[in-house]
Amino acid sequence: NSVPSQNRPCEYARGDLHLRIGPGGMDLSLEIDIDDYVLGISEMPYYWGFESNSGLEALKAQALAARSYARELQIHRPPPGDNLCAAWCDVRDTTIDQRYVGWGHVGLGIDEWIEAVDSTANQVITHPDAPNGTVVRAYYSSSSGGFTENVHEVSSAYPEFTEYLSSVDDHW
């Protein structure tokens, strides 16, 4: 579901579009394979995958984090009414969850991004302290200012994640 005030290019592909009447009017959702979804993520510049920028490792990390975040939301999304997503939506296409542009990618490095997603296909991040010892909701960003935040300092919505989502040095 898109936030109406956001005007940005987004090309949905490789899935089934569903149009439904929702609480605020018409809702559009895309049913898509998880790896096709990850291909549509656009959080950090794809040119970070160039050899001159340390190669594909940063893009692979984003692909793993994006896939893990989406998979964990499928498993543990709060019930409708507690969030902006309707009952049939696991992940929103805005920065509320992850910036999804579908096939509306622009810029250098798209081939490197596709390679990074393909080389991590079907892989997710797990942790023994995650709820039920499962997939982690991998919060990530392209810039943290040198340190990440403890999850409980950012959100009180997920107290079960405070065991393992703690501040780390991110000086790069």
Side-chain angles (χ1 to χ4, degrees):
N1 296 350
S2 294
V3 175
S5 64
Q6 290 188 340
N7 242 344
R8 59 181 166 66
C10 190
E11 297 179 18
Y12 297 111
R14 295 189 181 202
D16 296 320
L17 287 172
H18 301 280
L19 187 62
R20 299 179 177 101
I21 296 176
M26 298 301 280
D27 287 318
L28 178 68
S29 61
L30 175 66
E31 184 179 343
I32 190 170
D33 175 80
I34 189 82
D35 285 316
D36 286 334
Y37 167 78
V38 173
L39 281 169
I41 294 296
S42 182
E43 286 282 348
M44 67 186 199
Y46 304 127
Y47 64 80
W48 285 11
F50 291 172
E51 192 59 40
S52 60
N53 295 327
S54 300
L56 294 174
E57 295 310 308
L59 294 182
K60 288 179 183 178
Q62 177 182 246
L64 283 168
R67 189 179 299 106
S68 298
Y69 184 94
R71 180 67 75 205
E72 197 284 332
L73 280 176
Q74 284 182 307
I75 298 168
H76 295 108
R77 170 71 76 186
D82 292 348
N83 59 67
L84 299 175
C85 217
W88 50 82
C89 176
D90 292 318
V91 183
R92 293 161 288 205
D93 68 356
T94 69
T95 55
I96 290 171
D97 280 329
Q98 301 185 94
R99 185 170 185 265
Y100 179 82
V101 297
W103 297 101
H105 294 287
V106 294
L108 299 172
I110 189 65
D111 293 336
E112 286 76 8
W113 175 236
I114 292 170
E115 182 180 342
V117 173
D118 288 348
S119 68
T120 63
N122 299 312
Q123 297 176 25
V124 293
I125 304 165
T126 61
H127 193 280
D129 290 333
N132 301 316
T134 62
V135 179
V136 302
R137 186 172 304 181
Y139 294 96
Y140 66 100
S141 69
S142 62
S143 178
S144 68
F147 276 89
T148 62
E149 295 273 358
N150 291 311
V151 71
H152 68 274
E153 294 171 6
V154 178
S155 173
S156 61
Y158 307 103
E160 66 272 23
F161 300 143
T162 60
E163 297 287 324
Y164 66 96
L165 292 180
S166 57
S167 178
V168 295
D169 179 15
D170 186 25
H171 62 278
W172 298 108

